[in-house]
DNA sequence: CATCTAATTAGATTATAATCTAATTAGATG
DNA sequence: CATCTAATTAGATTATAATCTAATTAGATG
């Protein structure tokens, strides 16, 4: 979905009167004067808001005699509401989605029998799998000193400086005033 | 969730710059000047928008030295985005959710051996089950003349006028310039 | 086709919001 | 503690939006 469509949806829906109209129409169609009455506004004001809601396609109408009934298009509403959740992100992530079997193979190849890291993978995908593995022993939500991180990494590899840096670059951890902490976003569900 | 919270969420998110910030932060945290650079705006403008986004709780921050990194709270974003879908409606609907066994019993009680309706249930819940049953033979999406509807109802009961009116009142059908049509919302999933 | 009903449009008013430049503040560091 | 960096706030400007009253339009009906 294109950006402007999403912006417009939220701009339109970001108004108390219009959300009230949506809530009213969830219980069934109503005509303009009924809405005006329930909300304590004049018919022209309702016309104005209905036009905006129709522009983003969440309202349609049926006429019966002189009265026009406005209906909510719940399907559309739902679709548009969820668009913001899906926007951006995913840039290249998909191509990095990886199943457990593949992870297992990479870990087996790069660790020796004692669990020591033989080398740091050059290929990004493999590197991420290894970093995820190395980070597993750390506790979520607590902060670590740089020294503690170094000690942790040394269990696997001597070059703790490089790996510590990779933790930050690849966003497995973040640093805050010299303290280290696991990224709580668990976004590396590669 | 209370109305104002939802209004405010959409009002805040209904701005091109702010949606762009959200999209940027999906790929990981950034600091203010980086965002300003990418969007071609000045740092004060970014501050202004970040404040708004923080107010609705979709952004949090971590400082490292002089630089403050802004992070997206995707969980919150998702939660808030979906609130509009759940607002209102459901008024009493839940209490009318009914399983097939119950439907079967009601239909058995109110129809005779030939499938004729013995009487129109007074209890709303039972009435809805019966109306749903009566409406089953009609085709979705096509329009019927009043006469056709009457004929259809007469298969079950003589008092077609009352039942036709109930179809409209209970929103199984709607009327448009004297034509009748099934409500496409299939909202009577009682 | 005159008249009624309900909706819409026009035009004005007032409130709200986005952006900038310039000034200030918060925190880190030699 | 002086200085640097990055963020924030103040104040002004300009654009946008919500609402009303009065006028107009669309469609139905005797």
């Amino acid at each position: 979905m294109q950006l402007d469509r999403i912006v417009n949806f939220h701009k339109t829906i970001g108004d108390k009167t219009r959300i009230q109209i949506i809530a009213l129409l969830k219980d069934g169609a109503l005509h303009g004067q009924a809405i005006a009455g329930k909300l304590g506004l004049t018919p022209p004001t309702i016309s104005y808001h209905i036009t905006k809601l129709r522009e983003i396609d969440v309202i349609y109408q049926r006429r019966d005699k002189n009265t026009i009934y406005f209906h909510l298009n719940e399907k559309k509403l739902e679709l548009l509401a969820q668009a913001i959740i899906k926007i951006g992100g995913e840039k290249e992530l998909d191509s990095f989605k990886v199943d457990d079997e593949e992870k297992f193979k990479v870990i087996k190849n790069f660790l020796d029998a004692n669990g020591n890291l033989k080398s740091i993978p050059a290929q990004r995908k493999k590197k991420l799998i290894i970093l995820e593995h190395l980070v597993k022993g750390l506790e979520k939500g607590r902060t670590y000193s740089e020294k503690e991180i170094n000690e942790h990494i040394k269990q696997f590899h001597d070059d703790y400086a490089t790996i510590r840096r990779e933790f930050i670059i690849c966003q497995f951890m973040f640093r805050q005033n010299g303290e280290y902490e696991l990224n709580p976003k668990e976004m590396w569900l590669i």
Side-chain angles (χ1 to χ4, degrees), chain A:
Chain A
M1 192 160 334
Q2 63 272 26
L3 183 59
D4 282 335
R5 188 98 192 279
I6 301 179
V7 173
N8 224 280
F9 167 73
H10 291 285
K11 204 187 288 274
T12 299
I13 228 83
D15 174 88
K16 190 162 182 171
T17 306
R18 290 193 285 264
I19 288 197
Q20 286 177 313
I21 292 174
I22 287 173
L24 283 176
L25 297 186
K26 279 240 171 111
D27 293 329
L30 289 172
H31 58 277
Q33 311 216 322
I35 299 172
K38 279 176 196 280
L39 298 184
L41 294 168
T42 60
T45 303
I46 302 305
S47 261
Y48 169 76
H49 291 297
I50 290 284
T51 301
K52 296 237 162 202
L53 289 168
R54 203 172 21 219
E55 270 164 18
I56 59 167
D57 223 29
V58 299
I59 277 192
Y60 60 95
Q61 51 189 253
R62 309 273 183 181
R63 174 183 276 264
D64 184 48
K65 315 231 167 117
N66 278 320
T67 309
I68 296 175
Y69 288 89
F70 300 102
H71 297 250
L72 185 63
N73 187 340
E74 296 200 54
K75 287 253 160 57
K76 250 312 175 1
L77 177 66
E78 190 166 338
L79 210 75
L80 286 161
Q82 302 199 323
I84 185 67
I85 298 167
K86 287 153 192 157
I87 207 175
E90 305 136 339
K91 222 174 29 183
E92 40 181 355
L93 266 166
D94 314 289
S95 59
F96 286 115
K97 288 234 159 130
V98 132
D99 62 26
D100 289 332
E101 194 189 351
E102 192 176 347
K103 284 190 194 179
F104 180 78
K105 267 164 75 179
V106 173
I107 292 169
K108 207 182 99 186
N109 283 147
F110 280 88
L111 297 189
D112 68 17
N114 305 315
N116 288 122
L117 185 60
K118 292 189 271 186
S119 66
I120 301 172
Q123 219 182 295
R124 178 165 162 85
K125 195 174 186 175
K126 291 177 183 171
K127 187 170 70 183
L128 290 174
I129 293 170
I130 292 300
L131 290 175
E132 186 190 40
H133 179 73
L134 297 185
V135 108
K136 266 178 190 152
L138 298 171
E139 217 173 302
K140 217 173 252 189
R142 76 162 264 213
T143 58
Y144 292 88
S145 67
E146 185 162 306
K147 206 172 142 202
E148 285 174 307
I149 293 296
N150 294 346
E151 287 307 316
H152 177 79
I153 297 171
K154 274 195 251 173
Q155 296 178 276
F156 303 98
H157 199 71
D158 288 338
D159 188 359
Y160 53 81
T162 300
I163 292 177
R164 202 187 56 224
R165 237 185 55 236
E166 291 284 3
F167 279 168
I168 302 297
I169 294 170
C170 298
Q171 311 217 26
F172 286 88
M173 308 198 79
F174 56 84
R175 183 179 45 203
Q176 179 167 216
N177 294 323
E179 297 260 275
Y180 290 76
E181 191 178 328
L182 274 185
N183 185 335
K185 285 209 294 184
E186 51 191 330
M187 57 143 278
W188 60 83
L189 20 75
I190 39 175

